[in-house]
């Protein structure tokens, strides 16, 4: 993955090479505020992030809306991971063709998973995060999300 820096509305900068010095993986979630599947996915992503935030960096990048719209969306939805507007060309540089798109960059800086579409389970996200943060992780590209898929009954409930 190309080294990049993105900045949130508070002025905090996130640089891929710096994040990989302290995190085992960087997860990018490309989305926008009027994307219904994106909105439906966030509770699941938040639940998984809460469990893995010490080992992964999660950046939700919106190449369509303003920084103010993104900040308002995050606040209104109780989302605590970094969310930011980014340059409209960012999605093109990352070869994103639809939303939401989840990109996992492993500890070696390799794009190891790209999934376009809604993920409807915090357990699926947790399985992805567990794979990429495992002590015995072996680098490689995952081409099929099926190995990680699981179903939750309720993103806010007690299901894992």
């Amino acid at each position: 993955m190309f080294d990049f820096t993105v900045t949130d509305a508070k002025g905090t900068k996130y640089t891929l090479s710096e994040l990989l010095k302290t995190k085992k993986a960087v997860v990018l979630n490309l989305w926008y505020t009027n994307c219904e599947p994106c909105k439906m996915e966030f509770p699941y992503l938040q639940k998984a992030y809460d469990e893995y935030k010490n080992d992964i960096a999660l950046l939700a990048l919106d190449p369509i809306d303003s920084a103010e719209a993104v900040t308002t969306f995050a606040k209104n939805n109780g989302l605590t991971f970094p969310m930011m507007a980014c340059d409209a060309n960012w999605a093109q540089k990352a070869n994103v063709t639809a939303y939401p798109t989840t990109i996992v960059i492993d500890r070696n800086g390799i794009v190891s998973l790209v999934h376009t579409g809604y993920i409807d389970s915090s357990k699926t996200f947790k399985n992805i995060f567990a794979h990429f943060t495992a002590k015995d992780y072996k680098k490689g590209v995952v081409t099929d999300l099926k190995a990680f898929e699981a179903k939750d009954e309720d993103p806010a409930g007690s299901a894992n």
Side-chain angles (χ1 to χ4, degrees):
M1 179 68 162
F2 59 91
D3 199 19
F4 62 83
T5 299
V6 290
T7 306
D8 69 16
K10 295 177 187 172
T12 303
K13 292 183 184 288
Y14 301 88
T15 300
L16 177 62
S17 56
E18 291 300 312
L19 291 170
L20 289 174
K21 290 178 181 177
T22 59
K23 301 296 183 178
K24 295 178 181 172
V26 175
V27 178
L28 306 177
N29 182 272
L30 282 98
W31 69 288
Y32 63 96
T33 60
N34 287 324
C35 167
E36 288 303 319
C38 302
K39 293 183 217 179
M40 294 174 1
E41 179 177 73
F42 279 134
Y44 301 111
L45 188 55
Q46 179 68 56
K47 188 172 181 181
Y49 173 73
D50 288 343
E51 187 171 324
Y52 283 89
K53 63 185 169 189
N54 292 330
D55 293 322
I56 64 150
L58 171 60
L59 304 174
L61 306 176
D62 179 337
I64 296 172
D65 299 300
S66 69
E68 181 181 339
V70 171
T71 300
T72 299
F73 181 90
K75 183 178 177 183
N76 289 346
N77 289 281
L79 301 170
T80 63
F81 46 83
M83 300 182 80
M84 63 213 68
C86 64
D87 185 277
N89 293 324
W90 212 99
Q92 183 179 4
K93 286 191 279 185
N95 295 318
V96 172
T97 58
Y99 298 93
T101 292
T102 301
I103 301 170
V104 179
I105 304 156
D106 76 3
R107 62 191 78 185
N108 303 298
I110 306 295
V111 175
S112 297
L113 172 68
V114 176
H115 175 73
T116 300
Y118 161 66
I119 295 175
D120 64 351
S121 165
S122 61
K123 184 65 174 170
T124 299
F125 279 116
K126 288 178 185 182
N127 290 343
I128 293 167
F129 297 171
H131 172 78
F132 287 100
T133 61
K135 288 181 182 177
D136 63 347
Y137 171 74
K138 292 178 179 73
K139 71 178 176 178
V141 176
V142 178
T143 58
D144 189 355
L145 195 66
K146 289 189 190 316
F148 302 115
E149 287 180 341
K151 293 291 180 193
D152 288 347
E153 294 86 40
D154 177 10
S158 60
N160 291 322

